[in-house]
Each structure stands twice: as C-alpha cells, then as structure tokens.
Amino acid sequence: SAAVCDPRRMTLLAASMPIPLRSAAALLFAAAGPGLALGGKPLFADSADVVELTPGRFNATVLSSKEAWLVDYYADWCPHCQNFAPVWQHVASQYSGDSRVTFGAMDCALYMDFCAGIKVGAYPTMRAYNLPDAPDSAGEAGVALHEGDYNLDEEQELKGLIDAKLAALGPAPLTLAPTPAGPGAPATSWLLPAPAPAPKEISATSDSAVFRLIDAELALVYALRQGTATAAVRRPVEPPDPSDPLALGGEALAGLVAWLDLVSRLLPSSRGRRDVAELAAVARSAQQGSGVLPRAAWLLALDERKVDLVGPQAGQDPTPYWRLCATYTCGLWTLFHILTVAAADPISRRLAAAAEDDGVARDGRRLREDGPVVRQRGLEEAGVSASPTPGETLQRIRGFVENFFGCEECSKHFVATYDSCQFGRCALEATDGQGSALWLWQGHNNVTA
C-alpha cells in the first residue's frame, strides 16, 4: 500500500519558517505547476513503425534476427527522451518499407537492470545491431549510432548516420515510404512532443504537504535503486569486475554517501531520516572497507527496509504510488525543494523531530543510538556536520544530478546552470537559506517554462 505520513512533519516545517521562506514553501506545497510531470508510459506503445521491446522480446527478435535493428534506449520520465521520441518515430516511418532494418525502443525506466547491464548510462542512447561491417553489433550492447544532442533540427543528421550504417547491407529497396512535405507542411503527430500527464491539482493544505512528502520519498527510493545503476555505468569501478559491473566505487560511491548523509539530516520525517541514515551507514561501511559497494549488497540493503513508509517495491516502479506527481521527475524536483527549504530553516527540523520523537516514545519504542542508525553524535564523529548549510545542500543536489540522474542532457544543463553561476548563485552566502531555496526555483522554472 502507499505511504501514509504524519501531517505534523510538513506543517511544522512550514509554520516555523521566516515569512519570506513561507512564501517559497507555499509554492512548493501548492499544486504542481505546468511542466513538472513528464513521462509515465512507454513512448512508442502505439507506434506502427517502432517496436517497443522488453528484455525477452529483445533476445527473441533483435539478437536472433538477420536484419539490422536500430534501438532507442530511453526513460519515459526523461524530458529529452520525450522531445526526441517524435524524431525517432518520424525517421522510422520513412524506413517502414525498407526490409533491411527494423526500428525498436526500450523503456529503461522499466528495465533498468537490463539497460545498465549493456552499459546504457544516459538517455536517450541509440544502438545499432546486426551490421555486417561491425562485428560487435551482434552482441547485446550493439554499437553506438548517435550520442549527443537530439532535436527536430537534427533529423537529417540522424538519417545520414543511419544511411551510413545501412550502406553495408546493400542498396535500399524501392518501396521506401515517401518523405513527408517540407517545413511548410502542416504539423502531424510525429512532429509533436510526446504528451506528458498532468500532475493532480490540489489546494495547499497540510494534507497536500504530506502528499508532497510522499512523492519526494518515492522519488528518493526510485533513485537509490535505478540511479545507482546509472552511476555505476557512467563511472565504473577501476579495475572493473566483470562479475559485478554495477558495483559502486570511487567517485560514484563517494557521491552516494554524500547524498544519503544530506537527506538523512534534512528529510522532514524523523522515521525517514533514520531509514536513510541506515542506508548511509551501509554505503559508508563499504567506502571505508574495500572501497567498493557490490550491487547485490546494495539491493539487499534497499529490499530490507522502507524509507519512512515507502516500501522497496516503489524502487522498481513508483507509478502506482504517486499522490500528486505523475512521474519521477516531478517527485525529484519536489525532493530537491523540500531539502533546500529544510536547510534554510534548521529550527523547523528540530521542532518536527521533537514532535515525532515524543510520538515514538508514547508508542513504547526507543530511538537507537548505538545501532546502524547514524544520529547526530555519529555524524559528527564521521566528520559530517549535523546541520548542512544551504550552500552545501545545493552542492549535494548538483552532485546527485551529475552522478545519478539518467537524462544526460538534463543533467548537463543543471550542472552547467550551477557551475556558471546563473541566477546569481555564486553571489549567495553559504548560509543564505532563502536565496538558495529561491535559486532552485529559478533553475526549475527555467527548464519548465
């Protein structure tokens, strides 16, 4: 069942804020604005020209086929993937009469382990299969077709790359579908971005604040399972271990520890903070031990616990559990905003923690100080400050996006916005909570406008 959270957590968080921050929080706790929700279902489910693949169907068709396949690996929640989908669909329709090639697509949001296993670490990624002049194209990973920027203006470039790949298969048959009219022709469905489901509209109340927290925690649980696989592909352990290609080490593991430490100190729910602190202890133990976190050990840690009341099954697919959001990107932005608002006002965290700790005591349960939960004393002993500054919070969010967010162009854009000091970020004091919270909103509005 879906998580149910105590409304006091978010009510206290907002109520104890300085007046300017309450305004920012009101924006967060109100209904999601346009552009927050992205994705939500396979992008080519209704296509007559692009085959939606599952891992089983991939093995039975692509790998066993004698004809060439071109496959778009994407995540349904990825905005860039959504914008590229009509291009892939249109190009595929122009080869619909070409018996040399079949176009396919796989939603890596649904099949992350498979995609990560063939080294897909960014979305969208195009691969070619079964090309006579490319021996590696016969394997699961295929060969790269096109990486980098994708937009409607690059359609001809994409066709040029495809024609070059297909040249080794001999001349094209004469039954190719005709190319639609030029730029002045009326727009058709293949010229439009894939539709995005809208978030639910709801007034700003204590209940809606709870729903926002649920969505943020759902995004966190999904990221800890799926995003860590993405990070392992982008920054593989050195030297690589063929038996565990999705193990985390080095920069990726350090980024995970830093992210979990931050969330374990800022999440409004004390129960959620304790759960995340336990996960941080698992990751830190691996970092301080062998320096490598095996994938199986990490998945076991995720499967053994909830985050607050969000169960591990949400890490596979959070879709059935969303309360106000429709997809991962909405939940992730919500999480980021909650963290920056919490960092801006540490008093509200103490009030929320005190209220919940009283409730825990009344239930006859005692908070653990000497177990796997890393509380304030343990954080200080580990060299982690008990109260992260707003500046540190933004820096950790940047690190998360760079390491664990699969939409490559989205990640590059966010990192560039941060690093280039857009919207006055570099002029902010490290302790400027209001400025940091509002900076994130400016960055958010910049990409959803």
Side-chain angles (χ1 to χ4, degrees), residues 164-234:
K165 293 289 187 184
L166 299 182
L169 300 174
L174 299 178
T175 56
L176 283 175
T179 301
T188 59
S189 60
W190 50 260
L191 285 174
L192 303 176
K200 297 175 183 177
E201 296 293 334
I202 189 171
S203 301
T205 64
S206 59
D207 287 340
S208 67
V210 172
F211 292 156
R212 289 271 177 245
L213 179 58
I214 293 173
D215 285 349
E217 291 173 341
L218 283 166
L220 174 64
V221 169
Y222 182 81
L224 293 179
R225 182 179 293 267
Q226 311 294 357
T228 49
T230 296
V233 174
R234 290 180 176 176

Side-chain angles (χ1 to χ4, degrees), residues 246-259:
L246 299 184
L248 288 176
E251 184 179 348
L253 182 54
L256 178 63
V257 171
W259 176 246

Side-chain angles (χ1 to χ4, degrees), residues 404-439:
F404 301 103
F405 191 54
C407 177
E408 185 173 34
E409 291 306 309
C410 307
S411 175
K412 288 180 179 178
H413 184 273
F414 185 92
V415 170
T417 300
Y418 181 96
D419 291 350
S420 64
C421 302
Q422 290 186 39
F423 311 119
R425 185 196 64 80
C426 294
L428 295 173
E429 297 290 339
T431 56
D432 186 351
Q434 179 182 342
S436 295
L438 295 178
W439 180 88

